């Protein structure tokens, strides 16, 4: 949505019928599923809200106008892959899962060249394949020079989500599309899964929904750090946590 020549930008300017690239299906399907599971709290229709709040193409970090709640999916989007009908211009935002998906795609390219031991690190969204584990520091959201613990990553992906890196006024890059506020009771979430797109998408989803509901569909491990520095984690989240 930050590029003037992107398909997403065109959709924000013109309603109409669009044909998506074949690799869009994975991400669109996950977004639709998480939209349903979270009651619309994880949605690609968050783009106008985030941009109006200040996380815009100019990275102004200044709220431009009063925010409006995100519309319902079916009001704006009609999706039947590869066809995407935009009923009225809207800024789509895929920040909840897009970087994780990019990590997976890079991993596929690497493996297509016969390389099966590698690490793709996209600013902390990591896919690691190796016989030995890699120690990953879990950043303290209150002090980026510290870690609250270490996760031992092996043949899987880890993605984290926190508001400390992109924060302005009363907002972070995570905004509830109905209350139009950023969650404050959770400081950070880490998710481990086979695919980075799953880890990335669920790390955002856990700001809005109980992990047990997601575990009915997805296989993952997680750690949630709350505002009082208490934690919630799955038993198999293989981390050494500092006290």
């Amino acid at each position: 949505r930050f590029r003037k020549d992107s398909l997403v930008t065109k959709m924000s300017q013109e309603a109409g019928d669009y044909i998506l690239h074949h690799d869009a299906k994975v991400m669109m399907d996950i977004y639709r599923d998480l939209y349903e599971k979270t009651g619309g709290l994880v949605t690609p229709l968050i783009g106008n809200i985030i941009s109006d709040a200040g996380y815009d193409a100019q990275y102004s970090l200044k709220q431009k106008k009063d925010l409006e709640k995100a519309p319902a999916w079916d009001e704006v989007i009609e999706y039947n892959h590869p066809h995407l009908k935009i009923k009225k211009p809207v800024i789509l935002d895929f920040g909840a899962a897009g970087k994780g998906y990019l990590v997976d795609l890079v991993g596929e390219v690497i493996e297509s060249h016969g390389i099966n031991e590698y690490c793709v690190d996209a600013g902390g969204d990591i896919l690691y394949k190796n016989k030995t584990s890699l120690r990953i520091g879990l950043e303290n959201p209150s002090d980026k020079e510290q870690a609250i613990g270490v996760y031992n990553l092996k043949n899987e992906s880890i993605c984290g989500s926190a508001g400390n890196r992109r924060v302005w006024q009363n907002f972070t890059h995570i905004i509830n599309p109905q209350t139009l506020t950023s969650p404050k009771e959770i400081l950070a979430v880490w998710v481990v899964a086979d695919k980075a797109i799953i880890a990335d998408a669920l790390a955002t989803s856990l700001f809005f929904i109980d992990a047990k509901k997601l575990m009915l569909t997805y296989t993952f491990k997680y750690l949630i750090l709350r505002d009082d520095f208490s934690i919630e984690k799955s038993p198999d989240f293989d981390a050494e946590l500092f006290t």
Side-chain angles (χ1 to χ4, degrees):
R1 67 182 176 87
F2 295 123
R3 289 183 53 153
K4 293 181 180 179
D5 62 345
S6 74
L7 185 63
V8 169
T9 296
K10 188 174 181 180
M11 291 175 181
S12 73
Q13 299 167 345
E14 301 175 19
D17 297 311
Y18 294 88
I19 301 296
L20 301 181
H21 192 269
H22 70 87
D23 65 11
K25 186 177 189 303
V26 173
M27 191 157 63
M28 289 297 295
D29 287 351
I30 286 175
Y31 264 94
R32 181 66 198 193
D33 183 60
L34 291 176
Y35 178 87
E36 297 291 344
K37 284 183 169 57
T38 63
L41 297 182
V42 174
T43 173
L45 299 169
I46 193 75
N48 286 87
I49 296 172
I50 292 178
S51 181
D52 290 341
Y55 192 33
D56 49 32
Q58 291 73 41
Y59 208 67
S60 68
L61 301 185
K62 294 180 180 178
Q63 185 173 343
K64 295 189 284 290
K65 61 180 182 179
D66 291 340
L67 305 184
E68 298 181 6
K69 293 181 180 180
W73 181 295
D74 293 332
E75 288 179 18
V76 179
I77 295 176
E78 190 174 306
Y79 169 64
N80 183 19
H81 189 81
H83 302 279
L84 180 65
K85 182 177 182 178
I86 301 296
K87 299 177 183 179
K88 57 183 179 180
V90 63
I91 300 175
L92 298 179
D93 179 89
F94 298 100
K99 189 163 67 169
Y101 190 31
L102 179 59
V103 168
D104 288 335
L105 293 175
V106 172
E108 289 177 11
V109 171
I110 293 172
E111 292 188 21
S112 73
H113 290 274
I115 300 170
N116 297 309
E117 295 183 355
Y118 60 88
C119 179
V120 181
D121 181 358
D125 291 348
I126 300 171
L127 170 62
Y128 179 69
K129 297 290 185 73
N130 207 308
K131 298 182 182 69
T132 59
S133 61
L134 181 67
R135 285 166 58 82
I136 305 295
L138 308 176
E139 182 181 279
N140 181 349
S142 297
D143 184 348
K144 64 182 180 181
E145 299 301 318
Q146 295 182 346
I148 67 162
V150 175
Y151 183 86
N152 297 303
L153 189 68
K154 183 179 178 182
N155 293 323
E156 54 195 357
S157 293
I158 186 168
C159 294
S161 188
N164 63 315
R165 291 285 182 166
R166 283 166 285 178
V167 56
W168 69 100
Q169 295 173 249
N170 292 318
F171 297 111
T172 71
H173 70 289
I174 304 165
I175 298 179
N176 184 310
Q178 296 303 312
T179 65
L180 305 177
T181 60
S182 293
K184 297 295 194 299
E185 65 278 6
I186 293 176
L187 296 181
V189 176
W190 292 270
V191 174
V192 175
D194 287 341
K195 294 287 187 180
I197 187 173
I198 299 297
D200 196 12
L202 298 187
T204 298
S205 300
L206 287 173
F207 279 86
F208 302 113
I209 186 174
D210 186 89
K212 294 181 181 64
K213 294 182 179 179
L214 294 173
M215 284 182 166
L216 296 174
T217 305
Y218 298 97
T219 301
F220 65 97
K221 313 166 195 176
Y222 73 94
L223 170 66
I224 297 173
L225 179 67
R226 303 194 183 278
D227 58 355
D228 60 358
F229 269 71
S230 64
I231 64 165
E232 174 190 338
K233 76 180 189 71
S234 55
D236 54 354
F237 191 85
D238 183 20
E240 173 191 355
L241 298 178
F242 308 142
T243 59

